[in-house]
Each structure stands twice: as structure tokens, then as C-alpha cells.
Amino acid sequence: MSPPAAGGLAGARGEGGGAGVGRVFVGAGCNRVVNNVSWGACGLVAFGAQNAVALFSPLRGEIVTTLPGHKATVNCTLWLPTKKDVLQIRSRERHYLLSGSSDGIIMAWKIDSGKGEWTHALQLPMMHKKGVTCLAGRMVSDTVSIFASTSSDGTVVIWKMEDEPTSVGSCEVSCLHSISVGPKPMVSLSLAVLPGQGGHLILAMGGLDHKVHIYCGDQSGKFIKACQLKGHSDWIRSLDFSLPVMMGSEEHSLFLVSSSQDRTIRIWKMNSDAVSSAHTTSRKEDIGIASYIEGPLFVSGNTHYQVSLESLLVGHEDWVYSVEWQPPTLLTDDEAHQPMSILSASMDKMMMIWKPEKNTGLWINSVTVGELSHSALGFYGGHWQPDGKSILAHGYGGSFHMWRDVGLGSENWQPQIVPSGHFAPVSDLTWSRSGEYLLSVSHDQTTRIFAPWRSQVSPGDVTCWREIARPQIHGHDINCVAFIQGTGNHRFVSGADEKVSRVFEAPLSFLKTLQHATLLKTDNSGDFDNVQVLGANMSALGLSQKPIYTHGPRETQSSISNDRPDSMETIPDAVPTVFTEPPVEDQLAWNTLWPETHKLYGHGNELFSICCDHEGKIIASSCKAQSAPVAEIWLWEVGTWKAVGRLQSHNLTVTQMEFSRDNAFLLSVSRDRHLSVFSIRKTDDGAEHHLVAKLEAHKRIIWACSWNPFSYEFATGSRDKTVKIWCVQDSSSVKLLVTLPQFHDSVTALAWTGRDRASNAGILAIGMDNGMIELWNISGGRASTDSSGSGSSPLSFACMLRFDPLLCHVSTVHCLRWQKSDSSDEKSALQLASCGADHCVRVFEVRDI
């Protein structure tokens, strides 16, 4: 499949024509549920990212799109045709993706691999009353698929999907049968076509009763219970049927592999000739070490099937969440070969490949890969690439881990680059002061840096956005962040659900990694000698990240002693590394920390908002508040780290603050529906401040504010679905200039960038509670930052662009930030970064303005 390039124009055109928006980057983590990931025969991996279905290309290692539509968390995905439908995959360009969410909704998406397009096909009839937990299916002909869904409501539903290749319309899905399984719901399913039965199907389901239940049926969808398989002693977490396998002189046999929270894997064999007396004798004569235990019989159509335990695999040390047969290969035009190879993934942080030993037939663990980092918390699932050359795991931390067999003649599995991102709502983000990278903070308690990584390995200068560092891994949800002045301007302050702000400074390892990422040979590389901190270590029982010092000539004895932290206080030491290629998850999680240099104490509640002036010398911070004394804004001086002001105006939490471009004013908005403008003047002793204006600006909570970079105009956005433009008059009052037409949902994020100073023209980016983003042209009004009223003209505004829903967030937009491109041309393309409650960080390019 060839999806559009990540930087390609993929959005709606502006209402006035001319403007367009392209997707540059999407960073998102995987929902932390078991059946969330599916690797399709089209080559794309689908996974749930909060309420969206995300698709990523393993070849490029980046997310290519997110599909909106669900209103609740996506629990499971399924591609049709599946990797097992090798006969139906040939020369097929239309694929379907099914997704189930925690509100019981199942949706179907049509993916055209020839054109690289994806569209919403349909929403299935509401059959489940609770969350959908697993989907399993197979194609029974070139146009018909049968699939099953299970839910925590105790039902399993059988569906039929019909697709007419010549039709331009969507597929048709109908409900064939609903099976009630009682008070203990099923959490895993697998569906297969019985060999030699002309379309008869077999459905395996497992769940909370520790048993594997076998149902038989046909394409009409009527399934009846055939038998149950006992042996596991805990929940059944995964099931997978193989394709029929020819074993010696026997007829085709079908294998079922099951995994459980009892840490074991069982392989069940279903043999259609087991009750034939002619074959029974010969089979008993061949019993060896790999003999199996006979189990129950069941009948499907006119054939009897004997179920037996082929093997019990013991090797994992924790719950085995996933098992999957290696995808079959096509030998001829009408024959598929099933490799005898199984991939398992467990919460013991390991994935294993199991194969029968050639001489004895005993199943053994032939390959083990995993994450040895103490910060990893295990795998929720493992998946084969359709050609069997790569394996993919998704973990507890929302992360992906991929290994590829790069060996020649012998197996050599090496880690590969995969997408990464937050696995909880992203609360704030900011561009670095130099604009080289993006820093985001999240309720997943991490701070992450994303940057365009330029590679010259392939022809041309190829740029792909990657996560290059994880400066802060915390024990509290992080709510806000701002860059401040520092050495090389790589210093930031963050606020979390605690009463203290923390200051971090870039270590030497990051500065050199950034140089490799940008391929820039900076002239200030000599400054690296002045950076004595190589990286940071995390204390085992603390929240502070302690520095790891270099052994440079300027190193002092005290720093040497600090370089040997007490072993009782730290877990295995981090190894700060200079990366010449994008780091993988195991490296990001431990070896890219930044040292914490200062703490700012003062607030009485959890930090909520933070900002810095444009010189990076004054920090303003606010916390969650329900009274005026607690709601005050604190001012801090960078360098001395002293509190130089406490601004009192609001009665409830201050939701956002921003300094005017010349740092003369500080604007704040609050839950108390008021805005405040403070005059700020830097002095030798810190800062002087006084309240210029305070007024009730909206009828509901004000979530966002942003200054016009060219003048003393600013915008506010509120839950009342309005955006208002204001201006500061004569440095003593605030006047309402205009109210934009009401929006479709609450306004939660604003960002104003300038385009033409002479006409005071700019673009206001507006993010909403439903995830949508709009761009508005704002021009006229006051054309300068002088305090007089001269030169004013009527303010004009117009909506220039509404982003395509495929580009947008699927939940609340929390923050928008503009970044000017390197070009000095004011008509050049702009980059806009956004983050939201859907766990995503997105970067757009706005062109042809």
C-alpha cells in the first residue's frame, strides 16, 4: 500500500480558495487493551488511539492517518481480508478495517490501497450493550466475509459482510446470529473454515470461565456448540486457528493455539479422520514423544472431528496475552502453506517464537525478544508481518516494539523504528525557542521531544518526525510547560499535579543528538565543552532526576562525587547516549532524561498553567483554585529563581496566560469567566506589576487566550462557543472590538500568528472541544503597538480554512502553537502544532496563504 506522503496536502481547501493544509506529523500511543492492534495484509498496522483508529506504515515508521468516528475508546481492530486469507488477497486493492469501541459500537472503514485513500464505510447495527472486546473473522469467498464480535455484555454476535468489487458504494453488513454465553463473558475469539467441508465454519471462544468453547456453523450464521476444551486454570486471553495442515499421511488437520493468564500456551489439534478405524490403527503405531492426549469429539456436517492436545508450551513468567500463528504463504495459485510457527507475547516483557524441533517434533522456543529495561511493564499483544519477516509488540506504556529478521542464513532479529507518542491526554506543548523541535507534556506523566530527523542515507534529503528524547518521566500528571532562557536556550519549566514547578536543562547527550537529527554543523559546538552534564538518573523512590556529569577538564570534585549516586537510591544507572539514528522505546524510556536543576515552591495547589515572557526571563504560573488567595499568579525570575510578584485578580483557576510580544502586558483568563490584563515592567529587583483591567468577558469558562504579535489586540475563547477580539487602549483599559460568529462547540485553544505587519494581518487558529480546528484571517484594527489611538481601522475577519476531520483531533484540542518556517518570506508556509485529549500530538503545514 502506498499512503500519501506525511507532508502531502491532505486537508480541505479554504473557503476563499488558495489556502490548504497538509499533515506533517502525528504522534500517538496505543490504547492499553489486549486486542487493540491488527497488522493487515495491505501492509498497514491499525490500532486504537483513544477514540480514533490510527494507521501506521511499518516501512516508514510513522502514522499516516487517524480515522474519526468513535465516541468512546477503541478496544479492538480487525482487517478483512485477514493475513490468513492469502487466496483472496491476490491483486486486491480494496481492504476493510473493523473497529470496536467501549460503548458497543462497531465501525467499518474502506481502505483503497491502490489510491492510498481511506473512507468511513458504515456503522454496524447496535447489537452489544457494553464494550466490544474482540473481533475475529475470515473471508469465505472473494466477496463475502464472516466475522464475530464479543462483548462484556455476555454475547457473541456473528456478522456477514458482502463487498461487490465492481460497486463504487460501500459494503453491506448484516447480523446473522447472536450467542449468549452467560454471566462470564468471552474475551477472545478465532474463526476458521473447516477443511473439506464446503464452507462450514468453526468458532473458538475463550474467556473468564477458563475453558475454550468450540462452536460449529455454516455461512448462514447459525452456530451450535460442539464441545469445550479444558486445561487452562485462568482466563483465556488469546485464541488463533491455523490454516489446515497436512501431517504425513493424515488428512488435513486444523490447529488451535490458546494462551492464558495461567502463563501457559496450549496447542489443540482437530483431526477429521481420527474416528476412522482404518486410520486409528496406523496412528497408534506412530505414537512417539510428540504424541498427544485425546480430547472430545464433535460433529460438523457429515464429518466427525477428534480434538487432542498437541502440546503444552511453558516458558513465559507472566500472563500470556497474545498468541498468533505465522501467516501462511502462497505456494501456487490455489494452495496456501501454513508455517508451523507461533508468536506469543506476555506481560513478562518477552515475545517468543515457538517451532517444533525437527527430529523429535517437540515444540521449543526458538527466538526470544523483549525489553530488558526496568521501565517496561510488559506486552499486551504480538503480531506477525504478513510475510513473517517482522514481529510487532505493543506494551503497557502505549508503546510499539518491532523486530525484523535481518540475518543471512541464520535468524538475527534487530529492533526497528516505530511510531511513538503519549498514551494519555496531552495537556500542553511548546516549540523550542530556536524552533528546531517540539516539546509536549501529558497525563501519562512524561515529557517528550519530537523533531524532524533528517536522513541522507537514501537519495535526497528525507525528513521524518521522530521522538528523540523523553526529558521528564514523572510520578504525577503533567499539566503545563514553557521554554525559558538557558544555555543554548534548551531549558524548560513544567508544572504537574503537585505544588512545585520543576526546571530542566538539556544535557550534552541531547545537544549532540539534536545536531545529528538536524544535520547541522553548528558553529557553537565549542560550547559543548561548557556543558558538564551528560545526562540524568531517576531516583528509585523520588521524583527528582539527578545529573550524570561528564569527566571534562572543568569538572569539580563535588561533581565527581555526585556522579556516583548511592545504589540504594537509584535503579540501574541510565546510560546517556548520543544517538546517530532515532532512538527506540527502550532507549527513550531511560537514557534520554534531562537533569532537574531547580524547583519553584510557592503555590498551594496543583499547577495548572505556566508561561514565559518572550525573552525567557520571567515565568508566570498558576494553580488549581477555588478562592481568590489561591488563584493568584506567581511571577518568577529566571536565574535567581526568586518569586518577584504575586498577581491577584481572579477567584477561580487561571486556565491560561500569555505575555504580549513586547512583554509589556500579561494576559490571563480564568474559570471565573473574567479576563485580566497586567502591566509588567522588568526592574533590577525583579518586576513591577499592576492590574490594567479586569472584566467579565464570557458567559462560561474561558479556556484560551492569545495576543496579536503586531499589536495590543488579543483573542479569548470560551465554553460559550464564542471567540472575542479585544484591544488594550491607552495602557489603561480594555475594549471589545468584535465577536466572531458562534462556533459549533466550545472553544478550547487559540493561537495567533502575524503575516503582514503593515496591514496588521494575521491568522488565528481556533481549536474546539470536538477536536476540530479552524483558521481565521484577522486584519485591520490597530496597526501598531503604540499607546495612542491613531492609525486604527475597522477590524475585518473571515474563516479561511476548516480542517478536514481526517486531519483533526477526535477529542478536545488542548493547545495550539504556531511555528514560523525558516524562510524569512512572510508568504511562506507555516507550521502549526496541536495536542489534545485524544493522546495525539499533530503538526500541520499551512500553505498558499
Side-chain angles (χ1 to χ4, degrees):
M1 182 167 184
S2 56
L9 282 179
R13 286 277 156 181
E15 295 184 357
V21 62
R23 179 192 301 108
V24 175
F25 167 70
V26 180
C30 181
N31 289 343
R32 300 189 293 172
V33 286
V34 176
N35 298 305
N36 190 33
V37 177
S38 179
W39 198 332
C42 61
L44 292 179
V45 175
F47 66 95
Q50 208 240 5
N51 299 349
V53 179
L55 305 180
F56 89 78
S57 167
L59 295 177
R60 300 212 309 258
E62 57 188 357
I63 296 174
V64 295
T65 193
T66 55
L67 306 175
H70 285 287
K71 302 301 181 184
T73 302
V74 175
N75 285 340
C76 49
T77 57
L78 173 69
W79 286 98
L80 291 174
T82 69
K83 289 176 286 191
K84 291 183 173 61
D85 298 316
V86 289
L87 299 179
Q88 289 80 19
I89 293 172
R90 295 170 294 176
S91 68
R92 184 183 183 93
E93 292 189 348
R94 183 184 296 182
H95 296 255
Y96 286 94
L97 174 63
L98 300 169
S99 58
S101 60
S102 57
D103 58 358
I105 297 294
I106 301 175
M107 289 189 174
W109 315 86
K110 182 169 64 174
I111 315 293
D112 192 321
S113 60
K115 299 178 182 178
E117 297 176 349
W118 27 77
T119 55
H120 182 267
L122 53 88
Q123 177 176 316
L124 274 60
M126 185 77 173
M127 294 296 296
H128 293 295
K129 297 178 181 178
K130 294 183 180 179
V132 182
T133 55
C134 185
L135 294 166
R138 289 292 302 275
M139 293 198 74
V140 294
S141 71
D142 288 339
T143 59
V144 178
S145 302
I146 303 293
F147 66 93
S149 62
T150 183
S151 167
S152 49
D153 64 3
T155 61
V156 175
V157 179
I158 312 298
W159 307 82
K160 180 179 183 180
M161 174 186 285
E162 295 182 88
D163 174 37
E164 186 58 51
T166 60
S167 170
V168 296
S170 299
C171 59
E172 292 184 1
V173 177
S174 54
C175 175
L176 300 180
H177 186 47
S178 179
I179 304 170
S180 178
V181 296
K184 294 186 176 181
M186 300 292 111
V187 295
S188 56
L189 300 172
S190 186
L191 189 68
V193 179
L194 282 168
Q197 282 295 300
H200 278 249
L201 302 172
I202 182 171
L203 173 66
M205 58 181 76
L208 280 59
D209 63 356
H210 310 172
K211 303 171 186 175
V212 179
H213 302 267
I214 304 296
Y215 285 74
C216 292
D218 53 29
Q219 294 187 30
S220 68
K222 184 66 175 177
F223 279 75
I224 57 173
K225 188 167 184 177
C227 64
Q228 61 185 28
L229 310 179
K230 301 179 181 179
H232 286 294
S233 58
D234 208 332
W235 290 11
I236 312 293
R237 297 311 304 235
S238 183
L239 295 166
D240 193 35
F241 277 111
S242 69
L243 287 191
V245 177
M246 180 75 78
M247 301 288 286
S249 60
E250 296 180 356
E251 295 292 328
H252 284 90
S253 300
L254 196 65
F255 288 91
L256 171 68
V257 61
S258 62
S259 70
S260 168
Q261 291 180 182
D262 65 9
R263 308 181 182 185
T264 66
I265 301 167
R266 290 174 180 261
I267 304 174
W268 310 88
K269 183 178 180 181
M270 300 173 185
N271 202 354
S272 60
D273 70 334
V275 296
S276 170
S277 59
H279 288 283
T280 301
T281 304
S282 63
R283 180 175 59 80
K284 288 184 177 179
E285 292 174 356
D286 296 334
I287 288 180
I289 298 177
S291 63
Y292 47 77
I293 304 170
E294 290 190 356
L297 287 166
F298 69 90
V299 180
S300 177
N302 54 5
T303 306
H304 290 72
Y305 290 86
Q306 172 76 58
V307 183
S308 53
L309 180 63
E310 171 74 7
S311 185
L312 172 65
L313 310 183
V314 181
H316 286 293
E317 298 178 355
D318 210 331
W319 296 355
V320 186
Y321 267 136
S322 167
V323 282
E324 184 178 297
W325 287 95
Q326 182 174 338
T329 55
L330 199 61
L331 297 180
T332 63
D333 288 343
D334 56 356
E335 185 176 354
H337 168 65
Q338 172 66 64
M340 297 301 286
S341 178
I342 294 171
L343 175 68
S344 63
S346 167
M347 284 300 282
D348 64 3
K349 311 176 191 177
M350 296 292 175
M351 280 205 303
M352 296 181 179
I353 298 178
W354 305 82
K355 295 180 181 179
E357 206 270 331
K358 291 183 180 179
N359 297 326
T360 63
L362 285 174
W363 284 79
I364 60 171
N365 166 26
S366 63
V367 175
T368 300
V369 294
E371 294 298 314
L372 300 179
S373 168
H374 69 279
S375 59
L377 291 171
F379 295 146
Y380 274 132
H383 304 271
W384 290 95
Q385 187 177 12
D387 64 5
K389 297 294 185 182
S390 297
I391 53 177
L392 176 76
H394 64 103
Y396 180 84
S399 56
F400 287 106
H401 311 258
M402 187 166 74
W403 290 266
R404 185 167 181 83
D405 183 10
V406 297
L408 298 175
S410 61
E411 289 183 296
N412 180 18
W413 295 85
Q414 293 297 321
Q416 303 296 305
I417 300 297
V418 289
S420 64
H422 295 283
F423 59 88
V426 188
S427 47
D428 198 6
L429 56 71
T430 181
W431 291 92
S432 66
R433 295 179 65 83
S434 57
E436 294 173 304
Y437 57 88
L438 197 60
L439 180 76
S440 61
V441 297
S442 166
H443 291 173
D444 67 5
Q445 305 184 350
T446 66
T447 298
R448 303 179 189 233
I449 289 178
F450 301 95
W453 192 288
R454 292 175 171 83
S455 173
Q456 293 179 330
V457 176
S458 55
D461 187 4
V462 179
T463 301
C464 292
W465 279 72
R466 306 290 185 206
E467 183 181 352
I468 65 170
R470 208 166 290 173
Q472 182 184 10
I473 299 177
H474 206 36
H476 297 287
D477 295 358
I478 308 176
N479 298 322
C480 48
V481 68
F483 269 100
I484 56 179
Q485 188 185 53
T487 305
N489 284 332
H490 300 292
R491 183 193 274 173
F492 71 88
V493 56
S494 67
D497 277 347
E498 55 178 346
K499 301 176 184 181
V500 57
S501 303
R502 298 174 185 267
V503 179
F504 298 85
E505 190 158 344
L508 183 61
S509 57
F510 172 79
L511 298 176
K512 291 185 176 181
T513 297
L514 184 64
Q515 187 172 299
H516 283 292
T518 58
L519 294 178
L520 295 177
K521 303 301 181 183
T522 56
D523 296 332
N524 63 347
S525 58
D527 293 343
F528 290 168
D529 297 335
N530 299 324
V531 181
Q532 297 190 27
V533 177
L534 183 62
N537 252 330
M538 173 66 77
S539 302
L541 300 177
L543 297 174
S544 298
Q545 296 170 191
K546 299 179 179 180
I548 299 174
Y549 291 95
T550 61
H551 298 282
R554 304 186 183 186
E555 186 171 58
T556 64
Q557 187 64 35
S558 62
S559 65
I560 294 175
S561 63
N562 289 339
D563 195 26
R564 297 194 302 269
D566 184 70
S567 60
M568 294 298 290
E569 295 181 1
T570 58
I571 15 195
D573 285 349
V575 184
T577 307
V578 177
F579 296 103
T580 56
E581 58 184 24
V584 296
E585 176 67 24
D586 200 22
Q587 298 164 330
L588 286 167
W590 193 235
N591 297 331
T592 61
L593 294 173
W594 289 19
E596 179 185 316
T597 57
H598 298 92
K599 295 182 180 71
L600 307 180
Y601 296 94
H603 287 289
N605 284 335
E606 298 91 340
L607 271 294
F608 192 85
S609 177
I610 205 163
C611 75
C612 187
D613 69 355
H614 296 280
E615 293 181 350
K617 297 180 179 179
I618 295 290
I619 300 169
S621 60
S622 70
C623 69
K624 297 177 183 178
Q626 293 183 337
S627 63
V630 182
E632 61 187 6
I633 298 168
W634 285 59
L635 298 182
W636 311 84
E637 185 178 36
V638 174
T640 65
W641 310 111
K642 294 179 180 179
V644 294
R646 295 169 66 171
L647 284 54
Q648 296 183 350
S649 175
H650 296 286
N651 298 317
L652 296 174
T653 305
V654 174
T655 54
Q656 189 173 0
M657 302 169 291
E658 186 174 305
F659 283 89
S660 62
R661 190 53 57 100
D662 63 357
N663 299 324
F665 296 104
L666 174 64
L667 167 66
S668 64
V669 294
S670 168
R671 286 179 177 269
D672 63 12
R673 309 174 187 177
H674 286 71
L675 67 82
S676 297
V677 176
F678 300 90
S679 173
I680 306 292
R681 189 172 68 88
K682 190 87 167 60
T683 65
D684 294 338
D685 297 330
E688 291 181 354
H689 57 85
H690 74 269
L691 180 63
V692 173
K694 175 187 177 181
L695 54 110
E696 185 170 358
H698 291 269
K699 298 177 181 178
R700 303 290 299 277
I701 291 174
I702 309 174
W703 284 122
C705 62
S706 184
W707 285 95
N708 180 350
F710 295 150
S711 67
Y712 289 150
E713 296 158 356
F714 60 88
T716 57
S718 166
R719 184 180 281 175
D720 63 11
K721 305 180 183 179
T722 63
V723 172
K724 296 182 179 181
I725 311 294
W726 313 77
C727 73
V728 180
Q729 287 188 321
D730 303 323
S731 298
S732 60
S733 63
V734 170
K735 176 186 176 183
L736 176 62
L737 295 180
V738 70
T739 301
L740 300 188
Q742 191 167 39
F743 292 86
H744 296 295
D745 209 338
S746 303
V747 175
T748 55
L750 295 173
W752 199 332
T753 186
R755 294 302 281 165
D756 181 29
R757 183 178 292 275
S759 60
N760 195 31
I763 303 171
L764 182 62
I766 300 170
M768 287 169 269
D769 201 31
N770 58 9
M772 296 295 105
I773 299 174
E774 296 184 8
L775 301 184
W776 285 67
N777 266 321
I778 310 290
S779 61
R782 302 187 55 158
S784 67
T785 58
D786 59 41
S787 59
S788 67
S790 61
S792 62
S793 60
L795 192 75
S796 64
F797 57 88
C799 180
M800 60 177 286
L801 187 66
R802 289 188 172 94
F803 285 24
D804 189 304
L806 282 172
L807 292 178
C808 292
H809 295 272
V810 297
S811 296
T812 307
V813 180
H814 282 157
C815 185
L816 294 168
R817 292 278 187 263
W818 285 103
Q819 172 58 43
K820 183 76 177 291
S821 64
D822 294 337
S823 172
S824 60
D825 180 10
E826 292 196 341
K827 296 298 183 184
S828 62
L830 295 174
Q831 285 196 339
L832 175 66
S834 69
C835 66
D838 61 353
H839 309 176
C840 288
V841 173
R842 299 171 186 264
V843 179
F844 309 98
E845 188 165 84
V846 182
R847 303 171 180 166
D848 303 326
I849 299 172

